[in-house]
């Protein structure tokens, strides 16, 4: 969470910083600020969205804005309210040093009292100001910014990406990171720093990734990188993967709508060259497990958060169905604080769209120590999680800008199907089901297109239900995670209190809430649990709940009790989650859009959750 950007070169820094921050808004957007280096360090900050900073800069003295070196920050509050005082950059006591930070300083209270005892006083409630003051304290001793940063981080615990400037070290930005992302964009006579690629991709396609604990001293013509032991490092310059085009809405009102509409192509893209037809063996060269290792796997653990966790829950159904290997799914934040049982015969699958989620990174680091093979499914092949993997399935969904995950979810599902098929084929299991799934996957893109063409109907239904304050989503079997994900999408972007339940659980408590004010959306796929879900719908109907059906089969029985329904193309149970979720994404989108919510940047959320 939080986005940072830095620039030093021959251009006007302010334009590069502000443009960079606008591409990092997905990381947080509750306040922002920049520091520009002239004779002094000039700081400009605003609470609220980036547009407020843009407005306040219009009133600033032009001379102060005319700088060639600067750092910027967009915040997702962890310590202290999203006020101007708490916004970054933060400064040392003299104001000579400015610092932007992504992460959390866990021992900030101890460091703060150490500094208070030395006479320092603080203006904000943040952990970051403590780091800025500590660097200032060390600078007074060492009179060199890089050495001061080096000395300060030895005293800090937690996670950070820092960019720091000192008014006496002209054109210099010192940067360092630990468990938070930071890359250096390499230019000609100018260099860039950023939390993520979109902030700098317009300016350069070449970048250096810093490793944990390394410190970089960046000037317009030189990038020096130092290892934690002080030796000079030679990090390689990598070519960045994104095209600026991916960052455009392409005529859609919101990125979320555009990203939902990209789903058929995302599926085509990921299946291409992997599944030729239903009869040929799958090609999955990214899995670095020998046949012997695969055969020895006796347990699978899937760890992830939020939407990725829901993809993992679908994955459990598929993997167990095709391979018979017991598969557990757990939120990363729970996994890390108990004695988990994993060994070399456990395959651990970490799923993360961003590849940056702190809880998942911690969990994966823990299992690596136990000798388990780690398979990472992510949309960011250059991310920290990807770098921790033994096998990497890059879902290749293209950059997802909207905070609510949509196309990355479908892409995660596809990777799980591919991996389950790969395992089943290697283990010679479930040949018929494998063939059926391959056939269904190959027809999925056109079925997704058919669902998308129902957009107007879904919009009408959304409008009808947008005034309800609560929602229940029910499903059974492999679509139970779809109910959870549909409810998550709705609450994330519309702030409506939506909950997903296993339909059979309704009668064990939630049924008490049912009356005409509680719409119940049921996912009904003609298959194993269809009649059971129908019975649960009858129970809800008897309590006067308004019923919405998402089904691939509608008969008179439905028509008698459903207030509204959305008919989807026929699809097998095992592949249906990918189609059903598309309906629920569109429903959530249209409800939020109708309510006038900030769809792409919902309140309190961020695209990358880099704090535990
Ligand atoms: O980047 P990750 O997939 O690891 O992120 C996990 C969750 O934070 C994420 O899925 C979150 O729930 C999204 N806002 C869902 O739309």
């Amino acid at each position: 969470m939080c986005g940072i950007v830095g620039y030093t070169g021959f251009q006007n820094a302010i334009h590069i910083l502000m443009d960079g921050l606008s591409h990092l808004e997905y990381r947080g957007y509750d306040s922002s600020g920049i520091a520009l280096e002239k004779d002094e360090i000039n700081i400009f900050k605003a609470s609220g969205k980036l547009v407020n900073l843009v407005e306040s800069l219009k009133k600033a003295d032009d001379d102060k804005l005319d700088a060639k070196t600067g750092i910027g920050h967009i915040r997702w509050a962890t310590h202290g309210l999203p006020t101007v005082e708490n916004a970054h950059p933060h400064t040392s006591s003299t104001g000579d040093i400015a610092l932007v930070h992504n992460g959390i300083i866990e021992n900030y209270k101890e460091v703060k009292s150490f500094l208070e005892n030395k006479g320092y006083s603080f203006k904000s409630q943040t952990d970051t100001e403590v780091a800025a003051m500590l660097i200032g304290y060390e600078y007074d001793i060492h009179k060199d910014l890089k050495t001061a940063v080096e000395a300060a981080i030895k005293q800090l615990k937690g996670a950070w990406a820092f960019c720091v400037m000192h008014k006496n070290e002209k054109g210099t930005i010192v940067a360092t990171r630990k468990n938070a992302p930071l890359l250096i964009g390499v230019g000609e006579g100018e260099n860039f720093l950023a939390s993520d690629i979109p902030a700098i991709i317009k300016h350069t396609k070449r970048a250096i990734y810093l490793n944990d604990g390394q410190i970089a001293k960046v000037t317009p013509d030189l990038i020096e990188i130092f290892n934690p032991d002080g030796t000079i490092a030679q990090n390689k310059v990598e070519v960045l993967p994104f095209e600026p085009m991916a960052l455009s809405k392409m005529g859609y009102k919101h990125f979320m709508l555009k990203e939902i509409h990209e789903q058929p192509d995302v599926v085509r893209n990921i299946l291409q060259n992997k599944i030729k037809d239903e009869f040929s063996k799958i090609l999955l060269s990214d899995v670095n497990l020998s046949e012997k290792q695969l055969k020895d796997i006796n347990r699978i653990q899937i760890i992830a958060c939020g939407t990725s966790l829901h993809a993992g829950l679908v994955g459990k159904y598929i993997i167990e169905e095709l391979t018979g290997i017991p598969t557990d799914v757990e939120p990363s934040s729970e996994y890390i604080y108990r004695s988990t049982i994993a060994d070399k015969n456990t395959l651990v699958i970490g799923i993360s769209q961003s590849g940056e989620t702190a809880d998942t990174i911690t969990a994966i680091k823990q299992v690596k120590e136990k000798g388990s093979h780690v398979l990472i499914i992510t949309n960011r092949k250059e991310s920290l999680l990807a770098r921790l993997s033994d096998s990497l399935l890059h879902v290749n969904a293209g950059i997802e800008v909207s905070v609510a995950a949509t196309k990355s979810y479908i892409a995660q599902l596809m990777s799980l199907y591919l991996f389950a098929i790969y395992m089943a084929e290697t283990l010679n299991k479930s040949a018929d089901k494998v063939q059926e799934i391959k056939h269904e996957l190959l027809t999925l893109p056109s079925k997704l297109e058919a669902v998308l063409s129902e957009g107007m109907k879904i919009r009408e239904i959304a409008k009808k239900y947008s005034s309800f304050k609560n929602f229940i989503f029910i499903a059974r079997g492999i679509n139970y995670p779809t109910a959870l994900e549909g409810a998550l999408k709705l609450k994330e972007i519309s702030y409506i209190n939506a909950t997903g339940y296993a339909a059979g659980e309704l009668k064990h408590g939630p049924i008490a809430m049912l009356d005409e004010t509680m719409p119940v959306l049921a996912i009904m796929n003609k298959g194993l649990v269809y009649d059971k879900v129908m019975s649960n719908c009858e129970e809800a109907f008897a309590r006067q709940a308004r019923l919405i059906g998402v089904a691939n089969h509608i008969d008179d029985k439905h028509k008698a009790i459903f207030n509204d329904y959305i008919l989807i193309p026929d699809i097998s149970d095992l592949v249906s989650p990918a189609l059903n979720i598309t309906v629920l994404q569109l429903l959530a989108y249209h409800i939020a859009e109708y309510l006038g919510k900030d769809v792409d940047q919902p309140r309190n959320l961020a695209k990358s959750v880099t704090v535990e």
Side-chain angles (χ1 to χ4, degrees):
M1 349 272 275
C2 300
I4 62 185
V5 60
Y7 175 76
T8 179
F10 52 85
Q11 302 189 57
N12 234 327
I14 189 167
H15 301 307
I16 291 164
L17 298 179
M18 293 304 289
D19 181 68
L21 290 181
S22 75
H23 290 300
L24 295 177
E25 275 191 291
Y26 71 87
R27 303 180 71 86
Y29 31 78
D30 59 36
S31 56
S32 54
I34 55 170
L36 297 171
E37 181 218 282
K38 281 289 271 189
D39 299 332
E40 301 294 316
I41 301 269
N42 294 310
I43 308 256
F44 306 89
K45 302 189 200 185
S47 60
K49 292 196 134 191
L50 190 60
V51 63
N52 297 350
L53 181 61
V54 174
E55 286 307 313
S56 75
L57 287 171
K58 285 183 188 157
K59 295 175 211 137
D61 178 352
D62 280 350
D63 189 50
K64 289 189 173 167
L65 299 181
D66 177 25
K68 309 284 183 229
T69 303
I71 53 180
H73 187 270
I74 190 139
R75 180 168 185 247
W76 184 86
T78 57
H79 297 73
L81 294 172
T83 57
V84 171
E85 293 71 37
N86 290 333
H88 303 209
H90 286 283
T91 55
S92 57
S93 59
T94 55
D96 293 350
I97 289 174
L99 165 76
V100 288
H101 168 217
N102 168 24
I104 284 186
I105 310 295
E106 285 167 7
N107 62 337
Y108 82 103
K109 284 192 180 145
E110 291 91 311
V111 179
K112 191 170 182 178
S113 35
F114 164 78
L115 290 167
E116 278 169 342
N117 287 337
K118 302 239 171 247
Y120 285 75
S121 59
F122 294 82
K123 297 191 270 285
S124 80
Q125 288 89 52
T126 64
D127 51 339
T128 305
E129 189 185 13
V130 174
M133 292 283 184
L134 183 65
I135 294 171
Y137 169 78
E138 292 295 339
Y139 190 90
D140 289 345
I141 301 168
H142 303 284
K143 310 285 182 230
D144 173 72
L145 188 58
K146 184 237 154 194
T147 317
V149 169
E150 197 172 40
I153 59 174
K154 285 191 182 132
Q155 299 164 61
L156 299 178
K157 291 191 186 130
W160 54 79
F162 287 148
C163 283
V164 198
M165 300 189 306
H166 191 290
K167 74 165 194 177
N168 293 345
E169 301 199 13
K170 300 281 177 236
T172 303
I173 300 173
V174 172
T176 187
R177 63 167 284 262
K178 185 188 156 214
N179 287 340
L182 189 64
L183 64 135
I184 305 170
V186 182
E188 301 277 333
E190 58 182 352
N191 287 308
F192 308 81
L193 288 132
S195 303
D196 199 1
I197 299 168
I200 56 168
I201 191 69
K202 275 199 178 152
H203 309 289
T204 180
K205 281 213 152 72
R206 297 186 310 137
I208 295 171
Y209 288 92
L210 281 183
N211 297 328
D212 264 5
Q214 287 185 325
I215 300 183
K217 190 171 171 182
V218 182
T219 62
D221 300 306
L222 191 63
I223 298 168
E224 291 174 282
I225 300 176
F226 303 89
N227 291 316
D229 63 3
T231 54
I232 302 269
Q234 300 293 345
N235 297 24
K236 71 174 193 283
V237 178
E238 298 185 27
V239 177
L240 295 176
F242 294 131
E243 293 301 327
M245 192 63 177
L247 304 177
S248 139
K249 285 190 199 142
M250 307 290 284
Y252 289 94
K253 186 166 179 193
H254 293 101
F255 278 108
M256 182 176 177
L257 191 59
K258 172 194 165 221
E259 286 156 5
I260 294 172
H261 279 264
E262 283 171 349
Q263 293 182 158
D265 283 340
V266 166
V267 173
R268 281 189 189 101
N269 201 19
I270 198 163
L271 299 183
Q272 204 181 29
N273 305 327
K274 297 195 177 78
I275 301 182
K276 203 167 123 237
D277 55 48
E278 60 228 68
F279 308 107
S280 318
K281 254 190 148 181
I282 194 165
L283 300 165
L284 210 57
S285 55
D286 305 330
V287 178
N288 295 322
L289 279 164
S290 66
E291 198 172 326
K292 155 102 179 62
Q293 277 175 308
L294 252 175
K295 286 184 173 153
D296 286 345
I297 289 171
N298 54 21
R299 157 172 211 189
I300 296 178
Q301 293 174 343
I302 302 182
I303 41 189
C305 307
T307 290
S308 300
L309 180 71
H310 298 152
L313 286 167
V314 176
K316 170 186 165 74
Y317 280 88
I318 314 163
I319 294 171
E320 289 188 342
E321 190 72 29
L322 295 192
T323 69
I325 301 174
T327 303
D328 302 314
V329 188
E330 198 170 346
S332 316
S333 53
E334 289 300 314
Y335 189 92
I336 48 190
Y337 291 110
R338 64 183 186 84
S339 322
T340 46
I341 300 157
D343 60 23
K344 66 177 179 27
N345 294 330
T346 312
L347 169 69
V348 177
I349 305 180
I351 310 176
S352 171
Q353 160 277 130
S354 63
E356 278 187 20
T357 302
D359 290 321
T360 308
I361 290 173
T362 307
I364 291 297
K365 283 184 176 166
Q366 280 180 9
V367 297
K368 276 184 87 74
E369 280 171 19
K370 297 183 176 167
S372 306
H373 187 94
V374 169
L375 172 88
I376 296 294
I377 297 178
T378 182
N379 197 25
R380 302 298 297 270
K381 66 172 191 274
E382 69 294 337
S383 64
L384 197 50
L385 262 177
R387 285 158 196 260
L388 289 171
S389 67
D390 299 309
S391 294
L392 176 65
L393 291 185
H394 175 218
V395 305
N396 221 351
I399 190 160
E400 190 176 64
V401 177
S402 182
V403 166
T406 53
K407 64 174 178 172
S408 64
Y409 177 72
I410 293 268
Q412 289 168 346
L413 294 186
M414 292 307 114
S415 296
L416 287 158
Y417 285 113
L418 293 175
F419 181 67
I421 294 172
Y422 177 78
M423 282 198 83
E425 287 186 340
T426 312
L427 301 172
N428 281 324
K429 288 192 172 165
S430 315
D432 290 348
K433 279 186 195 143
V434 163
Q435 196 173 322
E436 175 199 320
I437 293 183
K438 281 183 185 164
H439 171 79
E440 292 286 311
L441 289 175
L442 290 169
T443 60
L444 184 60
S446 57
K447 290 179 185 172
L448 283 167
E449 275 155 1
V451 166
L452 293 172
S453 69
E454 291 292 308
M456 289 316 284
K457 177 167 185 201
I458 297 172
R459 190 166 177 229
E460 282 311 304
I461 295 176
K463 200 167 148 186
K464 198 164 153 188
Y465 289 87
S466 58
S467 59
F468 285 87
K469 301 281 171 260
N470 301 290
F471 242 96
I472 283 180
F473 289 69
I474 56 168
R476 292 177 93 132
I478 195 166
N479 276 300
Y480 165 47
T482 313
L484 299 179
E485 175 58 10
L488 177 67
K489 281 289 89 80
L490 184 59
K491 63 188 151 206
E492 274 189 300
I493 60 170
S494 71
Y495 321 142
I496 290 172
N497 177 28
T499 312
Y501 291 105
E505 279 294 298
L506 209 57
K507 59 185 172 292
H508 296 290
I511 200 164
M513 297 187 292
L514 298 191
D515 60 20
E516 68 287 349
T517 66
M518 178 71 85
V520 174
L521 183 144
I523 302 160
M524 325 239 334
N525 212 66
K526 196 82 186 144
L528 193 63
V529 291
Y530 181 83
D531 292 334
K532 297 284 174 201
V533 180
M534 192 60 200
S535 306
N536 301 131
C537 290
E538 301 270 10
E539 290 155 16
F541 179 68
R543 271 84 191 172
Q544 292 168 357
R546 284 162 199 255
L547 281 166
I548 309 167
V550 175
N552 61 354
H553 171 82
I554 300 284
D555 56 27
D556 290 344
K557 233 162 111 187
H558 280 99
K559 289 181 184 159
I561 67 166
F562 279 79
N563 296 73
D564 292 281
Y565 59 81
I566 299 148
L567 186 61
I568 64 161
D570 200 23
I571 187 157
S572 85
D573 237 6
L574 278 172
V575 181
S576 64
L579 211 50
N580 288 324
I581 192 57
T582 306
V583 176
L584 305 191
Q585 292 165 346
L586 283 171
L587 188 72
Y589 170 80
H590 286 301
I591 290 179
E593 201 266 332
Y594 186 72
L595 294 174
K597 303 293 183 205
D598 192 344
V599 173
D600 285 332
Q601 294 180 340
R603 70 182 182 202
N604 304 339
L605 295 180
K607 189 80 183 155
S608 296
V609 185
T610 57
V611 293
E612 268 183 33

